[in-house]
Amino acid sequence: MTKVDLKKSIPAYTAPRGSIEIVDVPPMRYLMIDGHGDPNTSEEYGDAVAAVFGVAYTLKFRSKAELGRDYVVMPLEGLWWSDDMATFTTDRDKSRWSWTMMSLVPEWIDTDHFERARQAVAAKGGSPAIDRLRMEELAEGRCVQTLHIGSYDDEASVLDDMHHRFIPGAGLRMRGLHHEIYLTDPRRTAPERLRTILRQPVERVERVDPAG
């Protein structure tokens, strides 16, 4: 049985280091769960991530056993926002962050597969956030992204460059939510070796002709 690795087949899961690129991201379905607060200290965040991966691995094992289709569980991803985006660049006040933690699921996983897997994880107990987990499509479309290597706390200058230089310089403006894809596990990787795709959905700025 061939094991599919979606990171290798979806171009948007690779990004250049040291430069920012414009990409078109297709609609994809994710396990999703929402929350708020500092991910380093929030119990809510830990429960959310546990719920995502509890169901993600249950889906993988059931897909292999029931459908004959094996795949690599995709990495953790996060959508992040705040009333003031400076909390991600200059202020870095994590207590003011809101988030949706996610993991991509293959296109052959449907809502019935998800619900049965969610119920199986819930039946085992010990997953207080499981009832908040959902499967939902995210359609980001045109985005800019780059690969950041290093500590999460060192992202600020990269994001500042993306938000305030590259995006306006390309005739674009931000829309949607800041998106991060965590290609490495911080529990097993030194901070300076962490690999994270930083993504921002954008749209073209409509320029008005002064001559009418």
Side-chain angles (χ1 to χ4, degrees), residues 100-127:
T100 298
M101 305 317 297
M102 317 188 301
S103 182
L104 179 68
V105 294
E107 61 183 359
W108 64 82
I109 299 296
D110 61 24
T111 53
D112 179 64
H113 297 134
F114 163 70
E115 188 56 36
R116 289 192 292 116
R118 192 186 66 79
Q119 290 175 2
V121 173
K124 295 178 181 179
S127 185

mmCIF file of all heavy atoms in Angstrom, residues 100-127:
data_model
loop_
_atom_site.group_PDB
_atom_site.id
_atom_site.type_symbol
_atom_site.label_atom_id
_atom_site.label_comp_id
_atom_site.label_asym_id
_atom_site.label_seq_id
_atom_site.Cartn_x
_atom_site.Cartn_y
_atom_site.Cartn_z
ATOM 1 N N THR A 100 -7.236 29.603 15.171
ATOM 2 C CA THR A 100 -7.885 28.363 14.741
ATOM 3 C C THR A 100 -6.770 27.389 14.416
ATOM 4 O O THR A 100 -5.979 27.620 13.495
ATOM 5 C CB THR A 100 -8.756 28.584 13.493
ATOM 6 O OG1 THR A 100 -9.793 29.510 13.793
ATOM 7 C CG2 THR A 100 -9.382 27.267 13.035
ATOM 8 N N MET A 101 -6.659 26.305 15.178
ATOM 9 C CA MET A 101 -5.646 25.290 14.905
ATOM 10 C C MET A 101 -6.246 24.254 13.960
ATOM 11 O O MET A 101 -7.430 23.897 14.063
ATOM 12 C CB MET A 101 -5.148 24.656 16.198
ATOM 13 C CG MET A 101 -4.617 25.663 17.217
ATOM 14 S SD MET A 101 -3.563 26.979 16.516
ATOM 15 C CE MET A 101 -2.176 26.020 15.883
ATOM 16 N N MET A 102 -5.405 23.746 13.050
ATOM 17 C CA MET A 102 -5.926 22.947 11.949
ATOM 18 C C MET A 102 -4.948 21.838 11.556
ATOM 19 O O MET A 102 -3.758 21.899 11.856
ATOM 20 C CB MET A 102 -6.136 23.817 10.704
ATOM 21 C CG MET A 102 -6.760 25.179 10.937
ATOM 22 S SD MET A 102 -7.162 26.007 9.378
ATOM 23 C CE MET A 102 -5.539 26.094 8.605
ATOM 24 N N SER A 103 -5.489 20.855 10.829
ATOM 25 C CA SER A 103 -4.663 19.871 10.130
ATOM 26 C C SER A 103 -5.417 19.441 8.880
ATOM 27 O O SER A 103 -6.605 19.096 8.943
ATOM 28 C CB SER A 103 -4.356 18.659 11.015
ATOM 29 O OG SER A 103 -3.525 17.730 10.336
ATOM 30 N N LEU A 104 -4.739 19.482 7.745
ATOM 31 C CA LEU A 104 -5.346 19.131 6.464
ATOM 32 C C LEU A 104 -5.717 17.650 6.421
ATOM 33 O O LEU A 104 -4.959 16.795 6.909
ATOM 34 C CB LEU A 104 -4.369 19.443 5.334
ATOM 35 C CG LEU A 104 -4.811 19.135 3.908
ATOM 36 C CD1 LEU A 104 -5.939 20.061 3.485
ATOM 37 C CD2 LEU A 104 -3.627 19.247 2.941
ATOM 38 N N VAL A 105 -6.872 17.342 5.830
ATOM 39 C CA VAL A 105 -7.273 15.956 5.623
ATOM 40 C C VAL A 105 -7.391 15.688 4.128
ATOM 41 O O VAL A 105 -7.713 16.590 3.344
ATOM 42 C CB VAL A 105 -8.606 15.620 6.336
ATOM 43 C CG1 VAL A 105 -8.440 15.699 7.838
ATOM 44 C CG2 VAL A 105 -9.720 16.546 5.877
ATOM 45 N N PRO A 106 -7.132 14.451 3.686
ATOM 46 C CA PRO A 106 -7.224 14.134 2.255
ATOM 47 C C PRO A 106 -8.646 14.317 1.730
ATOM 48 O O PRO A 106 -9.619 14.243 2.478
ATOM 49 C CB PRO A 106 -6.808 12.660 2.190
ATOM 50 C CG PRO A 106 -6.053 12.410 3.455
ATOM 51 C CD PRO A 106 -6.669 13.303 4.478
ATOM 52 N N GLU A 107 -8.752 14.525 0.416
ATOM 53 C CA GLU A 107 -10.040 14.802 -0.196
ATOM 54 C C GLU A 107 -11.013 13.631 -0.098
ATOM 55 O O GLU A 107 -12.229 13.829 -0.194
ATOM 56 C CB GLU A 107 -9.841 15.187 -1.670
ATOM 57 C CG GLU A 107 -9.192 14.096 -2.501
ATOM 58 C CD GLU A 107 -8.950 14.541 -3.930
ATOM 59 O OE1 GLU A 107 -9.302 15.692 -4.258
ATOM 60 O OE2 GLU A 107 -8.417 13.738 -4.720
ATOM 61 N N TRP A 108 -10.493 12.412 0.111
ATOM 62 C CA TRP A 108 -11.403 11.261 0.186
ATOM 63 C C TRP A 108 -12.014 11.066 1.578
ATOM 64 O O TRP A 108 -12.864 10.218 1.765
ATOM 65 C CB TRP A 108 -10.697 9.984 -0.263
ATOM 66 C CG TRP A 108 -9.541 9.550 0.595
ATOM 67 C CD1 TRP A 108 -9.590 8.847 1.774
ATOM 68 C CD2 TRP A 108 -8.155 9.774 0.333
ATOM 69 N NE1 TRP A 108 -8.330 8.616 2.267
ATOM 70 C CE2 TRP A 108 -7.429 9.172 1.399
ATOM 71 C CE3 TRP A 108 -7.455 10.409 -0.694
ATOM 72 C CZ2 TRP A 108 -6.038 9.194 1.456
ATOM 73 C CZ3 TRP A 108 -6.068 10.429 -0.639
ATOM 74 C CH2 TRP A 108 -5.376 9.842 0.422
ATOM 75 N N ILE A 109 -11.597 11.853 2.534
ATOM 76 C CA ILE A 109 -12.214 11.809 3.862
ATOM 77 C C ILE A 109 -13.471 12.675 3.838
ATOM 78 O O ILE A 109 -13.406 13.864 3.567
ATOM 79 C CB ILE A 109 -11.233 12.312 4.938
ATOM 80 C CG1 ILE A 109 -9.985 11.426 4.999
ATOM 81 C CG2 ILE A 109 -11.923 12.387 6.293
ATOM 82 C CD1 ILE A 109 -10.248 9.994 5.417
ATOM 83 N N ASP A 110 -14.634 12.068 4.142
ATOM 84 C CA ASP A 110 -15.878 12.836 4.095
ATOM 85 C C ASP A 110 -16.404 13.103 5.507
ATOM 86 O O ASP A 110 -15.784 12.720 6.509
ATOM 87 C CB ASP A 110 -16.932 12.142 3.222
ATOM 88 C CG ASP A 110 -17.326 10.761 3.736
ATOM 89 O OD1 ASP A 110 -17.181 10.492 4.952
ATOM 90 O OD2 ASP A 110 -17.812 9.939 2.916
ATOM 91 N N THR A 111 -17.552 13.768 5.578
ATOM 92 C CA THR A 111 -18.092 14.168 6.883
ATOM 93 C C THR A 111 -18.466 12.959 7.736
ATOM 94 O O THR A 111 -18.375 13.019 8.970
ATOM 95 C CB THR A 111 -19.312 15.076 6.702
ATOM 96 O OG1 THR A 111 -20.271 14.438 5.842
ATOM 97 C CG2 THR A 111 -18.905 16.404 6.094
ATOM 98 N N ASP A 112 -18.892 11.868 7.108
ATOM 99 C CA ASP A 112 -19.213 10.663 7.875
ATOM 100 C C ASP A 112 -17.958 10.080 8.509
ATOM 101 O O ASP A 112 -17.973 9.690 9.686
ATOM 102 C CB ASP A 112 -19.874 9.624 6.974
ATOM 103 C CG ASP A 112 -20.197 8.340 7.721
ATOM 104 O OD1 ASP A 112 -21.031 8.390 8.650
ATOM 105 O OD2 ASP A 112 -19.603 7.286 7.391
ATOM 106 N N HIS A 113 -16.867 10.000 7.741
ATOM 107 C CA HIS A 113 -15.603 9.520 8.305
ATOM 108 C C HIS A 113 -15.192 10.392 9.488
ATOM 109 O O HIS A 113 -14.778 9.879 10.549
ATOM 110 C CB HIS A 113 -14.488 9.570 7.250
ATOM 111 C CG HIS A 113 -14.709 8.694 6.070
ATOM 112 N ND1 HIS A 113 -14.513 9.117 4.783
ATOM 113 C CD2 HIS A 113 -15.129 7.405 5.975
ATOM 114 C CE1 HIS A 113 -14.778 8.138 3.943
ATOM 115 N NE2 HIS A 113 -15.167 7.090 4.643
ATOM 116 N N PHE A 114 -15.291 11.704 9.311
ATOM 117 C CA PHE A 114 -14.898 12.619 10.381
ATOM 118 C C PHE A 114 -15.747 12.411 11.627
ATOM 119 O O PHE A 114 -15.218 12.303 12.739
ATOM 120 C CB PHE A 114 -15.017 14.070 9.915
ATOM 121 C CG PHE A 114 -15.036 15.058 11.054
ATOM 122 C CD1 PHE A 114 -13.903 15.301 11.802
ATOM 123 C CD2 PHE A 114 -16.214 15.712 11.399
ATOM 124 C CE1 PHE A 114 -13.923 16.189 12.863
ATOM 125 C CE2 PHE A 114 -16.251 16.602 12.457
ATOM 126 C CZ PHE A 114 -15.102 16.842 13.192
ATOM 127 N N GLU A 115 -17.057 12.362 11.473
ATOM 128 C CA GLU A 115 -17.922 12.280 12.640
ATOM 129 C C GLU A 115 -17.711 10.971 13.392
ATOM 130 O O GLU A 115 -17.700 10.953 14.636
ATOM 131 C CB GLU A 115 -19.386 12.436 12.222
ATOM 132 C CG GLU A 115 -20.352 12.546 13.395
ATOM 133 C CD GLU A 115 -20.018 13.680 14.343
ATOM 134 O OE1 GLU A 115 -19.555 14.740 13.873
ATOM 135 O OE2 GLU A 115 -20.213 13.507 15.565
ATOM 136 N N ARG A 116 -17.524 9.879 12.683
ATOM 137 C CA ARG A 116 -17.283 8.603 13.360
ATOM 138 C C ARG A 116 -15.945 8.619 14.098
ATOM 139 O O ARG A 116 -15.827 8.079 15.203
ATOM 140 C CB ARG A 116 -17.340 7.452 12.364
ATOM 141 C CG ARG A 116 -18.756 7.160 11.861
ATOM 142 C CD ARG A 116 -18.861 5.838 11.103
ATOM 143 N NE ARG A 116 -18.153 5.878 9.835
ATOM 144 C CZ ARG A 116 -17.092 5.130 9.536
ATOM 145 N NH1 ARG A 116 -16.585 4.295 10.446
ATOM 146 N NH2 ARG A 116 -16.511 5.205 8.362
ATOM 147 N N ALA A 117 -14.937 9.235 13.493
ATOM 148 C CA ALA A 117 -13.643 9.337 14.161
ATOM 149 C C ALA A 117 -13.730 10.231 15.391
ATOM 150 O O ALA A 117 -13.164 9.913 16.447
ATOM 151 C CB ALA A 117 -12.597 9.870 13.187
ATOM 152 N N ARG A 118 -14.454 11.345 15.270
ATOM 153 C CA ARG A 118 -14.610 12.251 16.408
ATOM 154 C C ARG A 118 -15.326 11.552 17.561
ATOM 155 O O ARG A 118 -14.940 11.685 18.733
ATOM 156 C CB ARG A 118 -15.368 13.504 15.987
ATOM 157 C CG ARG A 118 -15.329 14.632 17.009
ATOM 158 C CD ARG A 118 -16.227 15.789 16.606
ATOM 159 N NE ARG A 118 -17.625 15.388 16.621
ATOM 160 C CZ ARG A 118 -18.370 15.294 17.732
ATOM 161 N NH1 ARG A 118 -17.842 15.588 18.910
ATOM 162 N NH2 ARG A 118 -19.632 14.922 17.666
ATOM 163 N N GLN A 119 -16.365 10.800 17.252
ATOM 164 C CA GLN A 119 -17.100 10.080 18.284
ATOM 165 C C GLN A 119 -16.235 9.005 18.936
ATOM 166 O O GLN A 119 -16.326 8.772 20.147
ATOM 167 C CB GLN A 119 -18.361 9.459 17.683
ATOM 168 C CG GLN A 119 -19.423 10.480 17.291
ATOM 169 C CD GLN A 119 -20.612 9.852 16.601
ATOM 170 O OE1 GLN A 119 -20.682 8.632 16.428
ATOM 171 N NE2 GLN A 119 -21.574 10.688 16.187
ATOM 172 N N ALA A 120 -15.374 8.363 18.146
ATOM 173 C CA ALA A 120 -14.490 7.337 18.695
ATOM 174 C C ALA A 120 -13.496 7.942 19.677
ATOM 175 O O ALA A 120 -13.228 7.375 20.749
ATOM 176 C CB ALA A 120 -13.750 6.633 17.564
ATOM 177 N N VAL A 121 -12.948 9.105 19.337
ATOM 178 C CA VAL A 121 -12.016 9.774 20.248
ATOM 179 C C VAL A 121 -12.752 10.246 21.497
ATOM 180 O O VAL A 121 -12.249 10.106 22.624
ATOM 181 C CB VAL A 121 -11.322 10.955 19.540
ATOM 182 C CG1 VAL A 121 -10.484 11.769 20.524
ATOM 183 C CG2 VAL A 121 -10.450 10.445 18.400
ATOM 184 N N ALA A 122 -13.961 10.786 21.326
ATOM 185 C CA ALA A 122 -14.743 11.251 22.472
ATOM 186 C C ALA A 122 -15.069 10.112 23.420
ATOM 187 O O ALA A 122 -15.067 10.286 24.650
ATOM 188 C CB ALA A 122 -16.029 11.924 21.984
ATOM 189 N N ALA A 123 -15.333 8.938 22.877
ATOM 190 C CA ALA A 123 -15.707 7.788 23.700
ATOM 191 C C ALA A 123 -14.559 7.324 24.595
ATOM 192 O O ALA A 123 -14.797 6.710 25.645
ATOM 193 C CB ALA A 123 -16.169 6.641 22.808
ATOM 194 N N LYS A 124 -13.337 7.618 24.199
ATOM 195 C CA LYS A 124 -12.181 7.228 25.006
ATOM 196 C C LYS A 124 -11.987 8.148 26.208
ATOM 197 O O LYS A 124 -11.250 7.802 27.142
ATOM 198 C CB LYS A 124 -10.911 7.249 24.146
ATOM 199 C CG LYS A 124 -10.902 6.212 23.031
ATOM 200 C CD LYS A 124 -9.641 6.333 22.200
ATOM 201 C CE LYS A 124 -9.627 5.333 21.063
ATOM 202 N NZ LYS A 124 -8.407 5.458 20.220
ATOM 203 N N GLY A 125 -12.631 9.331 26.186
ATOM 204 C CA GLY A 125 -12.484 10.283 27.275
ATOM 205 C C GLY A 125 -11.136 10.989 27.237
ATOM 206 O O GLY A 125 -10.262 10.677 26.425
ATOM 207 N N GLY A 126 -10.966 11.948 28.121
ATOM 208 C CA GLY A 126 -9.686 12.641 28.245
ATOM 209 C C GLY A 126 -9.407 13.656 27.153
ATOM 210 O O GLY A 126 -8.270 14.099 26.995
ATOM 211 N N SER A 127 -10.443 14.035 26.364
ATOM 212 C CA SER A 127 -10.249 15.040 25.321
ATOM 213 C C SER A 127 -11.315 16.113 25.485
ATOM 214 O O SER A 127 -12.340 16.111 24.791
ATOM 215 C CB SER A 127 -10.344 14.396 23.930
ATOM 216 O OG SER A 127 -10.051 15.326 22.916
#
